[in-house]
Amino acid sequence: RKMIVCRMIKSYAGFHRCVGLICHNCVKFNGRESDYSALTRDFEDNVDEKVLEAVRNASAAAAAKAAAESKAVAAATGGAGGAAAAAPPVAGAAAAAGTNGAA
């Protein structure tokens, strides 16, 4: 928790890497056949599942946010996403924009 609060861990990958290192050190220190190592392997499997679940949820939330933003932009620009749906510029607007009005 301290590493997250201090911003030493900034991503799910960083968190997963730190947990993996802790588990590796536990097995290395206590030996592969110890009870601690067996618990550590189970713990690491659970962490793997939870981190993958968190990444999937974050990805789905980001995709939903992007879709909502895209929908809002499409609604604000007339539904087709911008220039393709916009009416051709009038001569005065084209001159003010510095173009000749040709598409």
Side-chain angles (χ1 to χ4, degrees), residues 43-70:
F43 172 73
E44 192 170 19
D45 289 342
N46 288 328
V47 168
D48 289 346
E49 290 175 25
K50 294 299 182 182
V51 168
L52 285 174
E53 183 181 324
V55 169
R56 280 189 214 110
N57 291 341
S59 297
K65 181 180 177 183
E69 289 172 354
S70 176

Side-chain angles (χ1 to χ4, degrees), residues 69-88:
E69 289 172 354
S70 176
K71 190 174 181 180
V73 168
T77 60

